[in-house]
Amino acid sequence: MTVNQLQNLFNLDGRVIVITGAAGLLGQKHAEVVAAYGGIPVLLDMQATAVQNLAVDLANKHDREPLALALDITDESAISRSCQDILDKFGRIDGLVNNAANNPKVEQSDTKNFSRLENFPLEVWQQDIAVGLTGAWLCAKHYGQAIANNPVGGSIVNIASDLGVIAPDQRLYKQSGLADELQPVKPVTYSVVKSGLIGLTRYLATYWADKGVRCNAMCPGGVENNQPEEFLAKVNSRIPMGRLAKKNEYQGTLLWMLSDASSYLNGAIVSVDGGRTTW
Ligand SMILES: NC(=O)c1ccc[n+]([C@@H]2O[C@H](COP(=O)([O-])OP(=O)(O)OC[C@H]3O[C@@H](n4cnc5c(N)ncnc54)[C@H](O)[C@@H]3O)[C@@H](O)[C@H]2O)c1
């Protein structure tokens, strides 16, 4: 490898990278690093205005022309149409970041806590699976197939979670003064969706390997985002580095996974969690 090639190992120069959930807390950061390293982010989210604004912002800062697409990743015909639109506009897709997910939120009443397994509503289960798992598969089905048709292949990154690797420690969510049956918990769908994404990663890593398509999972730990002090103290004590992540601390790993810097990385499940899953 020449010095020049080595220095450009992380460049995404002109690569078209589809990012789902691009308008969210981490999606914006994924899009930013793709644009900063020369890629063309295709910003996909249900929030039409937010995703349009992000495209304008990235275009101004990075001299790129990102494409913003407002769509629901549970709608297969919308995905299929958008895939054709992307191919018409750019002629190729080089990468996919399966990042969109529901952050399962469940109602509470004085007598029932619906986050608990025994009360968890079937329709919330179905919605969470539909976005986080079925949506990721549908995106792989269409955008992933387009990457497999790309003569140079490409990279799929599934955004799982440390909670795809370990069980949630429900003691973190405990509230004093509440009876056991009313205690809130991390909903079951979060574990199921994130573990499922790890299975999808392994499947895809072998499925199109002969077409040059790599697939890896990043498993981020929690991000600092104005959580109550009491919660932070508890969660920090379970992380060897003693803190949650800043929202920009996943950008380096994503860039590595999307670029040629990880050209032999395939089927890896990479925890980026301050060491939480090591304990
Ligand atoms: N934030 C964290 O602490 C953390 C930790 C570990 C893993 N993760 C994972 O990282 C990813 C991003 O997390 P985040 O904190 O940025 O979430 P977020 O809720 O801020 O963003 C999610 C985005 O997905 C979009 N979205 C939801 N349903 C959609 C659908 N059906 N079609 C299209 N777009 C849809 C939302 O509009 C939103 O913009 C998620 O997969 C999440 O589970 C987050």
Side-chain angles (χ1 to χ4, degrees):
M1 202 179 269
T2 65
V3 172
N4 191 42
Q5 281 170 321
L6 262 181
Q7 286 170 342
N8 288 317
L9 211 49
F10 288 88
N11 276 6
L12 295 174
D13 44 7
R15 291 186 207 180
V16 178
I17 315 280
V18 178
I19 302 167
T20 71
L25 182 74
L26 296 183
Q28 293 181 37
K29 295 282 130 192
H30 302 332
E32 182 178 68
V33 73
V34 166
Y37 278 77
I40 303 169
V42 175
L43 311 165
L44 206 153
D45 205 288
M46 286 204 306
Q47 300 184 59
T49 311
V51 91
Q52 281 296 347
N53 290 344
L54 178 63
V56 172
D57 187 46
L58 291 175
N60 290 338
K61 284 192 187 133
H62 300 282
D63 195 21
R64 301 269 151 244
E65 275 197 57
L67 178 65
L69 293 173
L71 67 82
D72 181 341
I73 58 161
T74 65
D75 178 348
E76 183 169 12
S77 51
I79 293 177
S80 170
R81 278 195 306 274
S82 75
C83 189
Q84 197 49 55
D85 290 347
I86 297 165
L87 291 173
D88 289 347
K89 189 169 167 69
F90 300 112
R92 56 193 270 177
I93 300 180
D94 300 279
L96 165 66
V97 183
N98 269 323
N99 169 75
N102 274 358
N103 189 4
K105 290 224 168 57
V106 270
E107 285 175 27
Q108 227 167 302
S109 77
D110 290 343
T111 53
K112 238 181 191 177
N113 188 303
F114 290 98
S115 69
R116 300 190 62 81
L117 182 98
E118 59 276 23
N119 302 327
F120 200 70
L122 177 61
E123 77 220 66
V124 183
W125 166 278
Q126 284 166 337
Q127 284 158 11
D128 290 347
I129 304 284
V131 179
L133 211 43
T134 313
W137 162 65
L138 285 173
C139 289
K141 178 175 171 182
H142 292 272
Y143 308 126
Q145 179 62 58
I147 300 172
N149 292 341
N150 183 340
V152 294
S155 169
I156 300 175
V157 180
N158 292 326
I159 307 296
S161 165
D162 53 359
L163 297 187
V165 180
I166 55 172
D169 183 345
Q170 305 292 10
R171 293 170 299 182
L172 285 174
Y173 311 98
K174 258 198 155 137
Q175 291 176 6
S176 53
L178 274 185
D180 281 356
E181 65 275 17
L182 291 177
Q183 288 292 346
V185 295
K186 189 77 176 177
V188 60
T189 44
Y190 199 78
S191 289
V192 171
V193 164
K194 296 310 184 182
S195 307
L197 279 178
I198 289 175
L200 180 67
T201 301
R202 295 200 170 106
Y203 190 96
L204 294 176
T206 60
Y207 195 73
W208 287 310
D210 60 341
K211 307 270 190 295
V213 182
R214 301 181 292 111
C215 180
N216 297 287
M218 184 192 337
C219 302
V223 177
E224 229 178 270
N225 192 21
N226 299 319
Q227 291 94 339
E229 280 302 321
E230 196 190 337
F231 175 80
L232 283 177
K234 280 198 275 186
V235 74
N236 290 347
S237 73
R238 285 156 173 85
I239 301 170
M241 286 179 72
R243 62 175 180 86
L244 292 177
K246 313 262 181 259
K247 62 184 178 187
N248 62 7
E249 286 188 298
Y250 301 116
Q251 290 179 302
T253 306
L254 182 74
L255 176 62
W256 168 60
M257 288 180 153
L258 288 172
S259 67
D260 293 346
S262 64
S263 56
Y264 200 53
L265 186 80
N266 190 27
I269 312 303
V270 179
S271 294
V272 187
D273 61 0
R276 180 166 178 199
T277 51
T278 311
W279 254 347

